[in-house]
Amino acid sequence: EAGDGVGGTWYWNRYPGARCDSESYYYSYSFDEALQQEWEWTERYAEQSEILRYLDHVADRFDLRRSIRFGRRVVEAVFDEGGGWVLRTDAGERYAARFLVTAVGCLSSANIPRIPALETFGGRWFHTGRWPHEGVDFSGLRVGVVGTGSTGIQAIPVIAEQAGHLTVFQRTANYSIPARNGPMEAAFEREVKANYAEIRDTQRATINGHPFHVSDRPAFSVSAQERTAIYDELWVRGGLRFRAAFADLLTDKDANDTAAEFIRAKIRETVHDPVTAEKLMPRDHPFATKRPPIDTRYFETYNRGNVTLVDVRESPIVEATPAGLRTSSGEYPLDCLVFATGFDALTGPLLNIDIRGGGGRVLREVWADGPRTYLGLQVPGFPNLFTITGPGSPSVLTNMPTAIEQHVDWISACLHHLRSIGS
């Protein structure tokens, strides 16, 4: 484990506003009933610090730390034709194993944009996926945030409350649904714990790993008035259930347009300045064809007097300067830069390791034209290698704990079978 503690995503991503976008009661492990019953979540959507406390609790409860080598990054994994793997860490240590299971995370290799002359920037810059553990104080500072994906949408409202001025550099406008976060109500928590078995069964049976089904009604099976009422009800409830409103939102462009236009109307209604509202309206992709974010007062943030939105498709970023960022339309003075620019997703964390399979095959070369896997679990030509939520699996398009547990169960059963037959 490269980090100095457990948590993975929740160890590294400590940026302002970081929290899960699945509701906390099911963004959790299902393998132990006592664990489910004893842990108490404080919010509908747990923030980073609470999720990390949960993962620390799990590590301690099941005495896992004795089996983890912290502060070590695997840099090489080579298949020995004798049937096993030899691993080397950045500390020069070597380990031998019959089977190699990678749990490197889908979103763990930070993507830092190649902005010309970034090294000349006179202020501090940060990537949300490598946030300083001591935090960052933006009080009174001129801050620039590059990126408006799910991470930027979480961070921007919180940074805006602290910063003297916030400039948001947006490439792609995003659909976002209000989270409607709030305290975990005791009555709801009791109901959840009494019905966890049914909740988990539903998670395992649904395409996204959430404890609710996509509606079986098509969007045009109801009147326009009724359709709007359904969207309104889900908008008020908040969260990811909005995309489950109708069966054909991802298979019928006309159906999708009804959801997209509903959200655009909400943006228009929320953002006071019509020019800014227009910039914030997604028009280059259908709703939910990118991972749909949820937010807490994201669009409302652009009504603040200390927030400026820059459309970098209209005015591309040209270079960093000692004083800030220069776009094709002018220079923006900044004290700090925050890159909410995501990750080299799925393949990146695996290709950061020099993985060599049977016959000396180099994974980076084998995947030069894109990854080829068996269900995101195994790679042809790389024997005894398993990839948890690897490329080709549902991965980040699902509630991750559900997907991870499914893969762990399958890999465990496979290893048990192989050992039982002497392989």
Side-chain angles (χ1 to χ4, degrees):
E1 166 56 49
D4 292 326
V6 298
T9 290
W10 303 105
Y11 176 87
W12 298 106
N13 287 260
R14 300 172 184 236
Y15 59 87
R19 64 179 68 244
C20 62
D21 56 7
S22 297
E23 294 186 50
S24 51
Y25 75 89
Y26 67 86
Y27 190 84
S28 57
Y29 294 120
S30 69
F31 66 83
D32 186 88
E33 177 61 16
L35 174 64
Q36 291 190 138
Q37 295 298 324
E38 73 190 18
W39 185 262
E40 296 181 354
W41 296 102
T42 66
E43 291 185 279
R44 181 178 176 190
Y45 296 95
E47 65 176 358
Q48 175 270 335
S49 60
E50 183 169 12
I51 298 172
L52 187 57
R53 285 198 303 274
Y54 171 72
L55 296 172
D56 277 327
H57 171 75
V58 172
D60 292 336
R61 190 184 191 285
F62 295 99
D63 192 21
L64 302 181
R65 295 181 198 275
R66 63 187 174 88
S67 301
I68 303 173
R69 302 295 176 264
F70 292 109
R72 292 167 172 81
R73 185 180 297 276
V74 173
V75 295
E76 181 184 77
V78 178
F79 182 70
D80 183 332
E81 296 301 338
W85 286 88
V86 178
L87 282 68
R88 181 171 61 84
T89 72
D90 55 0
E93 301 161 321
R94 291 184 178 272
Y95 296 88
R98 177 74 171 163
F99 301 100
L100 174 58
V101 180
T102 64
V104 292
C106 309
L107 304 175
S108 59
S109 179
N111 176 39
I112 298 172
R114 296 174 182 172
I115 295 176
L118 180 59
E119 71 280 1
T120 70
F121 176 56
R124 300 175 69 195
W125 65 263
F126 312 91
H127 189 283
T128 52
R130 291 290 182 271
W131 203 257
H133 286 197
E134 68 274 15
V136 181
D137 183 3
F138 292 116
S139 298
L141 300 180
R142 298 166 300 177
V143 182
V145 172
V146 179
T148 54
S150 55
T151 296
I153 283 173
Q154 286 186 335
I156 285 165
V158 182
I159 293 175
E161 292 178 354
Q162 250 193 16
H165 191 90
L166 173 64
T167 304
V168 177
F169 297 89
Q170 171 189 274
R171 181 185 64 180
T172 303
N174 238 314
Y175 300 97
S176 187
I177 312 298
R180 311 295 185 197
N181 189 34
M184 177 67 76
E185 297 178 358
F188 178 72
E189 185 176 41
R190 287 194 297 272
E191 180 184 349
V192 164
K193 290 185 175 183
N195 293 282
Y196 251 137
E198 182 180 348
I199 290 168
R200 301 306 193 183
D201 284 346
T202 303
Q203 285 179 243
R204 298 184 188 105
T206 55
I207 60 173
N208 296 121
H210 297 288
F212 55 85
H213 292 275
V214 175
S215 172
D216 58 3
R217 63 193 168 201
F220 293 105
S221 66
V222 299
S223 68
Q225 184 177 6
E226 186 178 351
R227 191 166 53 247
T228 299
I230 291 168
Y231 286 143
D232 266 322
E233 180 182 349
L234 291 169
W235 186 267
V236 170
R237 187 191 191 283
L240 296 173
R241 290 177 190 254
F242 186 91
R243 66 182 176 181
F246 295 105
D248 52 355
L249 292 186
L250 292 180
T251 57
D252 185 318
K253 178 60 165 54
D254 290 336
N256 189 285
D257 285 344
T258 66
E261 185 50 44
F262 176 89
I263 297 172
R264 284 193 285 265
K266 289 295 186 182
I267 297 171
R268 195 178 296 115
E269 175 186 307
T270 302
V271 180
H272 299 162
D273 176 41
V275 174
T276 302
E278 181 59 36
K279 289 179 181 179
L280 288 166
M281 290 185 202
R283 298 189 184 277
D284 63 348
H285 64 284
F287 167 64
T289 55
K290 291 177 179 284
R291 186 177 179 178
I294 63 174
D295 70 87
T296 298
R297 299 187 63 78
Y298 172 66
F299 294 114
E300 291 87 343
T301 297
Y302 293 95
N303 295 328
R304 297 177 63 99
N306 70 329
V307 176
T308 300
L309 177 65
V310 178
D311 184 342
V312 298
R313 289 197 175 180
E314 288 182 2
S315 303
I317 295 173
V318 175
E319 63 180 354
T321 69
L325 275 187
R326 188 190 310 280
T327 73
S328 61
S329 62
E331 184 174 3
Y332 294 86
L334 302 169
D335 301 307
C336 293
L337 260 173
V338 174
F339 293 120
T341 46
F343 301 89
D344 181 2
L346 296 170
T347 57
L350 288 164
L351 297 182
N352 281 341
I353 305 170
D354 182 11
I355 300 178
R356 299 171 183 263
R361 294 177 183 87
V362 179
L363 185 64
R364 181 174 292 279
E365 295 174 359
V366 172
W367 282 1
D369 295 323
R372 295 175 65 86
T373 70
Y374 174 70
L375 300 179
L377 278 161
Q378 294 183 285
V379 183
F382 293 77
N384 295 352
L385 170 67
F386 299 90
T387 55
I388 294 175
T389 65
S393 73
S395 184
V396 295
L397 298 179
T398 67
N399 174 46
M400 288 302 295
T402 311
I404 290 168
E405 286 191 331
Q406 182 192 50
H407 274 195
V408 168
D409 288 346
W410 189 92
I411 292 168
S412 299
C414 181
L415 295 180
H416 179 78
H417 171 72
L418 291 172
R419 285 171 173 165
S420 72
I421 62 174
S423 292

